Structures are given as structure tokens and as C-alpha cells.
């Protein structure tokens, strides 16, 4: 079965993958060569799309829903 689509953009999906690997916003920013502010923006979009309030919770939900590659 296909996981429900949470409408994550490809960039949000990338950020989510790095979050799941335990990287900080700053580290994610360096990996994706974007600013930490931009990462923060993506993270809050991810949290609201997944209906979660914390990064930890978002990663847990992502794992349960097979959103992490």
C-alpha cells in the first residue's frame, strides 16, 4: 500500500530525511547549501503537515508512515 501523501515538497522530504539522521538545522543547511533560516522554515512546514509539534515526533511519525527513504 502507498503511504498517504502528506504533500511534502521534494525539499521538505530531503530535510525530513536529514532530520531522521539526527542532523541539526545548521548541519542540514550546510548539506543542502541553504540558510539555517530556510531549514527552520522547511522544518515548521513539515511539522504542520505531519500534525506534529516537535522534530522528534515528526521523525517518529515519518518512520511509522514510511516517509523516510
Amino acid at each position: 500500500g502507498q503511504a498517504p501523501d502528506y504533500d511534502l515538497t521534494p525539499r521538505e522530504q530531503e530535510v525530513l530525511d536529514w532530520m531522521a539522521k539526527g542532523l541539526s538545522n545548521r548541519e542540514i543547511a550546510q548539506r543542502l547549501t541553504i540558510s539555517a533560516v530556510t531549514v527552520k522554515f522547511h522544518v515548521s512546514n513539515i511539522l504542520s503537515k505531519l500534525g506534529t509539534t516537535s522534530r522528534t515526533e515528526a521523525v517518529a511519525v515519518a518512520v511509522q508512515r514510511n516517509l523516510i527513504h
Side-chain angles (χ1 to χ4, degrees):
Q2 185 61 11
D5 188 5
Y6 286 92
D7 244 15
L8 294 178
T9 65
R11 182 57 106 192
E12 287 164 355
Q13 181 68 60
E14 270 182 301
V15 170
L16 182 57
D17 288 340
W18 287 117
M19 282 165 60
K21 294 185 171 81
L23 274 71
S24 68
N25 284 5
R26 185 171 300 284
E27 290 168 324
I28 295 170
Q30 287 167 347
R31 292 270 189 325
L32 301 180
T33 56
I34 55 181
S35 75
V37 174
T38 305
V39 173
K40 207 176 157 147
F41 174 73
H42 290 312
V43 170
S44 43
N45 284 346
I46 292 165
L47 297 189
S48 71
K49 286 181 181 183
L50 297 185
T52 56
T53 52
S54 72
R55 291 169 62 111
T56 316
E57 195 187 350
V59 169
V61 167
V63 170
Q64 286 169 351
R65 305 276 194 276
N66 295 318
L67 300 178
I68 311 274
H69 305 310

